[in-house]
Amino acid sequence: MLFLYCVLLVCCLIMLVAGVIEQRRHYANLAQIPNRVLVNGIRGKSSITRLCAGALRGGGLRTVAKTTGTAARFIHPDATEEPVYRKFGIANVVEQIGIVRRAAAYQPDALVMECMAVMPALQEINQSKLIQSTIGVLCNVREDHVAEMGPTLDDIGRSLSRSMPHGGICVTAEKERFHVLQEEADARNCKLIYADPDTVSDEELRGFSWFTFKENVAIAFTVAELLGVDRKTALQGMYDAPPDPGVLSVERYVAPGGKRVRFANVFAANDPESTLMNINQLLDLGAIERPLNVVINCRPDRVERNGQMGQIVPDLMPDKVFVIGHPSKSAIDAIPAEWRSRAVDLGGDQRDGEEFMHELLGHLGESSSLVAIGNIHGQGEILLEHLAELPAFEDEPEPAAPSVESAQHHQYVPHIDPYADLTAAQEARFTQPPVPQQYVHPPQQPYGQAPPYGQQPYAQQGLEEYQAPQPQSPQAWPLRTQEPQQYYPDPQWQSPGETR
């Protein structure tokens, strides 16, 4: 028995020594990265991570990024990316140690990381031990993960605040719960900066080749400005950044009988507020039109969320509501009584995909829009597979617009995940090479009343041609000779109600 105790003691000592060595190596790797950005929040973290990385790359900073989201990706300084390998396909915050080690090998100027922790305690460990960010991003506070973060929005905001850097800077676009975040920031001696989405113009937003929100772009502008990248350069870097595989997009299909269907996959927006924001943006931009039909996919382990999707039906004002998955009753019962007659129950545990798709498409008109909300897993994935087998529009007319704006209508082109397992029908749809486009700078708007930090005024009004830079090999990258200049926020950046 004494022998076994000795063996146990020796093993514990070995593990302790190995842990200390690993921690010291990890801290040494962090020290090689002068600027570390940790992106946290409920919705849009992956998109913000890519936007921030693109803005910093555009400013000449060697930047490494890592997203979690729909598909975890390690993004190299030349904007190429690769999937993050996970043993047995299980995500674990410990993988951040390996990401930091890989990033440090590039000797980067900045590292942009998406927070992958949900539990409040793990969020704090992710910040204090794994990333030790110099700039934190807390994009928004929405009603999700209530079991882990708390039942109210204030509780969720306080849980997310545990990723704020002590003595650092935190950027947020959250307006409704700004006072809660400010209290948490003060407790951590953290400077909280509000990224005002109203400073992002519609012209700047139209230049993107995918759907994004002003809040996301405003955060990326603020982070870039803190690291010394001017607005015009940061914007072009964001335009050139590759979008997330789960980015919001609209597909155009021809259903049996010649019916034309505009389909929007909004499965990634799991909470009601984000779902409404996504759909309203698509309607405002004309990407989808009425008559509008909604598909709610239900999951047995997300009964509460199924009901939340049913409750927002009056806000969407759809012609039909198709409910798939199980239990479909959890969503139908949550639909207000005056709208319940428009619901069509196509769900069930073992419902054949061919069967419910035939019935769903039969209810659609000659020209309509279809929006998928709720959860993607289960029959939601079957829905996407069957829609991908339909032919696409061949003669979609180009929108009429003045010549200055014509270059802005290249946006919202569907983007395919290069590492996804596509069906034969999906591969056939995207085998045609893309038509070369001439990218231009949209008219720039001044960022506030005066250039911050004594910089020169931003780009003058007008357009100029832009030639996308060619990626370089790692051997061609110059070594960093000096640390990036540190920038500090303007004292006016205190409250969402104040003018910059």
Side-chain angles (χ1 to χ4, degrees):
M1 184 63 68
L2 179 61
F3 173 76
L4 294 179
Y5 281 127
C6 293
V7 171
L8 178 61
L9 180 61
V10 171
C11 291
C12 291
L13 289 175
I14 293 175
M15 292 178 63
L16 177 62
V17 172
V20 171
I21 293 175
E22 182 180 45
Q23 184 183 55
R24 291 177 64 88
R25 287 178 177 175
H26 178 65
Y27 287 165
N29 290 331
L30 288 175
Q32 297 182 47
I33 309 173
N35 300 289
R36 300 177 296 277
V37 182
L38 179 62
V39 181
N40 197 9
I42 298 297
R43 290 289 168 265
K45 296 189 295 293
S46 297
S47 296
I48 292 174
T49 300
R50 290 175 177 269
L51 289 173
C52 290
L56 299 180
R57 276 197 305 269
L61 298 180
R62 189 182 303 170
T63 305
V64 178
K66 184 255 185 179
T67 66
T68 301
T70 303
R73 295 285 185 267
F74 181 87
I75 305 175
H76 301 271
D78 61 354
T80 60
E81 59 186 74
E82 62 180 87
V84 175
Y85 171 75
R86 287 170 173 167
K87 196 172 184 178
F88 306 116
I90 300 175
N92 193 309
V93 293
V94 179
E95 74 183 37
Q96 306 287 58
I97 297 175
I99 298 298
V100 170
R101 181 172 62 250
R102 293 188 61 189
Y106 285 106
Q107 296 184 344
D109 298 311
L111 170 65
V112 186
M113 297 277 283
E114 177 184 350
C115 182
M116 60 182 298
V118 175
M119 299 293 294
L122 289 180
Q123 293 187 36
E124 188 166 358
I125 292 174
N126 190 64
Q127 159 58 27
S128 61
K129 299 293 184 181
L130 301 181
I131 307 301
Q132 297 183 352
S133 65
T134 57
I135 298 177
V137 171
L138 208 165
C139 50
N140 49 47
V141 179
R142 303 280 170 79
E143 189 177 356
D144 199 11
H145 302 297
V146 294
E148 295 86 359
M149 298 188 189
T152 68
L153 288 174
D154 285 356
D155 294 331
I156 295 174
R158 296 187 189 282
S159 297
L160 294 172
S161 298
R162 300 181 73 167
S163 65
M164 289 181 176
H166 286 260
I169 301 173
C170 183
V171 180
T172 184
E174 175 61 38
K175 186 174 183 179
E176 299 299 326
R177 295 294 180 279
F178 186 86
H179 63 285
V180 176
L181 304 183
Q182 185 66 68
E183 293 175 2
E184 295 295 323
D186 293 340
R188 294 168 172 79
N189 192 27
C190 179
K191 184 73 172 180
L192 185 62
I193 299 177
Y194 178 67
D196 190 355
D198 293 336
T199 60
V200 180
S201 66
D202 293 336
E203 289 77 12
E204 290 172 330
L205 200 65
R206 292 192 188 101
F208 286 91
S209 59
W210 67 92
F211 290 102
T212 189
F213 292 95
K214 290 185 177 182
E215 289 81 357
N216 298 351
V217 179
I219 288 175
F221 273 140
T222 305
V223 171
E225 192 171 4
L226 288 170
L227 296 181
V229 180
D230 66 86
R231 186 180 183 86
K232 173 185 173 182
T233 305
L235 182 63
Q236 187 57 56
M238 285 187 271
Y239 286 162
D240 298 334
D244 191 70
V247 72
L248 180 64
S249 62
V250 175
E251 302 280 357
R252 298 176 174 90
Y253 298 114
V254 180
K259 299 178 180 179
R260 296 196 169 195
V261 181
R262 293 171 181 256
F263 174 72
N265 179 358
V266 196
F267 280 134
N270 290 328
D271 64 279
E273 185 178 353
S274 299
T275 299
L276 289 173
M277 286 179 61
N278 278 271
I279 296 176
N280 287 333
Q281 184 188 34
L282 295 177
L283 289 170
D284 293 341
L285 294 170
I288 59 175
E289 300 172 346
R290 296 189 183 276
L292 179 66
N293 302 277
V294 176
V295 179
I296 302 177
N297 183 41
C298 301
R299 284 176 56 185
D301 57 338
R302 296 290 188 272
V303 174
E304 181 182 3
R305 188 174 296 168
N306 301 340
Q308 291 175 343
M309 295 299 139
Q311 291 171 359
I312 65 174
V313 165
D315 298 316
L316 299 175
M317 296 185 293
D319 284 28
K320 290 287 184 182
V321 180
F322 303 101
V323 183
I324 61 178
H326 174 76
S328 57
K329 192 174 185 295
S330 60
I332 295 176
D333 288 347
I335 300 175
E338 58 271 22
W339 291 87
R340 205 167 297 162
S341 60
R342 306 191 184 194
V344 180
D345 189 354
L346 303 177
D349 287 9
Q350 307 297 329
R351 187 72 185 269
D352 181 68
E354 195 75 36
E355 179 184 349
F356 81 73
M357 280 300 302
H358 177 76
E359 186 174 351
L360 187 153
L361 296 175
H363 281 87
L364 301 181
E366 293 300 320
S367 179
S368 59
S369 297
L370 186 65
V371 176
I373 64 176
N375 300 273
I376 189 172
H377 297 293
Q379 290 191 347
E381 295 169 322
I382 297 176
L383 171 74
L384 299 181
E385 291 176 3
H386 281 270
L387 286 175
E389 296 175 356
L390 299 176
F393 282 15
E394 298 293 341
D395 55 348
E396 183 70 14
E398 291 293 331
S403 58
V404 173
E405 298 181 0
S406 61
Q408 298 172 356
H409 288 283
H410 70 276
Q411 77 273 33
Y412 312 138
V413 178
H415 290 268
I416 301 303
D417 183 1
Y419 301 100
D421 294 328
L422 302 180
T423 64
Q426 288 174 314
E427 291 180 353
R429 282 170 54 82
F430 298 99
T431 50
Q432 298 298 326
V435 179
Q437 307 254 1
Q438 184 182 24
Y439 289 83
V440 300
H441 285 298
Q444 302 296 313
Q445 301 293 332
Y447 191 39
Q449 299 300 320
Y453 318 130
Q455 296 177 4
Q456 293 298 321
Y458 293 113
Q460 302 297 321
Q461 303 290 328
L463 300 174
E464 64 181 20
E465 295 184 1
Y466 172 77
Q467 303 247 349
Q470 298 296 325
Q472 297 179 342
S473 63
Q475 291 77 12
W477 293 332
L479 293 176
R480 186 174 73 247
T481 57
Q482 61 181 4
E483 301 295 337
Q485 184 178 359
Q486 297 293 323
Y487 285 79
Y488 298 93
D490 193 292
Q492 293 183 354
W493 288 4
Q494 287 289 328
S495 169
E498 294 182 0
T499 305
R500 296 187 182 185

